Amino acid sequence: LELSAGSTGLAFLGATAFGDMEFLGKLLASLEFGAFPIRKDGCLRYGGSNQVGDAVLLYALVNGPLWKEVNLRRARKGQ
């Protein structure tokens, strides 16, 4: 599949940081396919992940679009 856990984690960060929802959707689909999702007692975890991967994924999914923040700050400064 030509995937790398490290590069895929960074791709998640890039997609969320720059608001690329189409790419993020594709990444989430690949995560469901290849990361061995385990659903138990209303919780979800990925058997193909580790603590670092979980942290990167969590950060990516709670991270807001970077360009939106940049533009808001520019607007506040009158640029």
Side-chain angles (χ1 to χ4, degrees), residues 52-74:
V52 173
D54 293 345
V56 170
L57 185 59
L58 174 64
Y59 183 72
L61 294 176
V62 300
N63 183 26
L66 194 57
W67 287 130
K68 182 177 179 181
E69 182 64 27
V70 168
N71 289 330
L72 283 173
R73 290 182 185 209
R74 282 184 181 165

Side-chain angles (χ1 to χ4, degrees), residues 16-66:
T16 58
F18 296 105
D20 190 342
M21 296 300 110
E22 181 181 350
F23 186 48
L24 179 61
K26 292 175 182 179
L27 289 169
L28 288 168
S30 70
L31 186 68
E32 286 296 308
F33 175 72
F36 310 109
I38 301 168
R39 290 173 174 83
K40 185 177 177 182
D41 299 327
C43 296
L44 169 65
R45 69 182 186 90
Y46 293 98
S49 187
N50 60 31
Q51 291 176 336
V52 173
D54 293 345
V56 170
L57 185 59
L58 174 64
Y59 183 72
L61 294 176
V62 300
N63 183 26
L66 194 57

